[in-house]
Amino acid sequence: QSALTQPASVSGSPGQSITISCTGTSSDVGAYNYVSWYQQHPGKVPKLMISDVSNQPSGVSNRFSGSKSGNTASLTISGLQAEDEADYYCSSYTTSSTVVFGGGTKLTV
Amino acid sequence: EVQLLESGGGLVQPGGSLRLSCAASGFTFSSYAMSWVRQAPGKGLEWVSTIRGSGGSAYYADSVKGRFTISRDNSKNTLYLQMNSLRAEDTAVYYCPKVYGSGNDPFDYWGQGTLVTVSS
């Protein structure tokens, strides 16, 4: 159950777009379309932003989108806003019926 | 409104035990799988365990398998995590998120968490 690999940090300017990658294996990210993304502001609880690779839960801005290719999933945030500055975590269901998170990415706007 | 309230955290010595509880409201508790996810101070999220709505199936991370037991009482809308043989590396905030959909994830609602500190 090794953690999924995410970049430690990414940055962008307001209005720009950024992409955060999440690399796993054929036993997790590559096995199913069950990749999720969470946003966590400092001192706050995680918030589900994307489920099932590319689905936005109700209430989530459409500036957030997800995709997957092979063993790597990606979260793209378009039209960056100051409020998007947070930690982002990917997660994936695995072939062992477990769940694995990525190490997290700190987004600086 | 969905509400999840974790309790039971505290300071415990290495090798000790602790039982966490999570009181749920605002949804049909027995219809959804529930999980425990932890976050060590300044670190990332780590999935710990998930139990199905019926309580019939449970899943664990390798790091806690054989030491932690997840359970639920659907008559009380409460989720539990029995933690035995605690280690320093179990120190974390423990969350009890609700599972969205029919699988073991994702997690759509989270409580505020309860802090477990394992130290002598």
Side-chain angles (χ1 to χ4, degrees), chain B residues 3-59:
Chain B
Q3 291 192 340
L4 299 164
L5 183 61
E6 301 93 340
S7 62
L11 176 64
V12 61
Q13 293 187 338
S17 298
L18 210 56
R19 189 176 86 152
L20 306 183
S21 299
C22 171
S25 61
F27 64 102
T28 305
F29 183 69
S30 60
S31 295
Y32 293 92
M34 295 291 295
S35 293
W36 290 98
V37 173
R38 68 185 180 183
Q39 187 169 33
K43 302 297 184 181
L45 301 172
E46 181 186 12
W47 174 78
V48 173
S49 181
T50 294
I51 187 169
R52 295 291 191 192
S54 65
S57 297
Y59 309 86

Side-chain angles (χ1 to χ4, degrees), chain B residues 65-84:
Chain B
K65 196 175 297 183
R67 300 188 299 123
F68 290 11
T69 301
I70 191 172
S71 62
R72 63 192 297 161
D73 185 336
N74 287 342
S75 68
K76 295 182 179 179
N77 288 355
T78 302
L79 175 74
Y80 303 100
L81 185 67
Q82 177 67 44
M83 305 186 295
N84 299 329

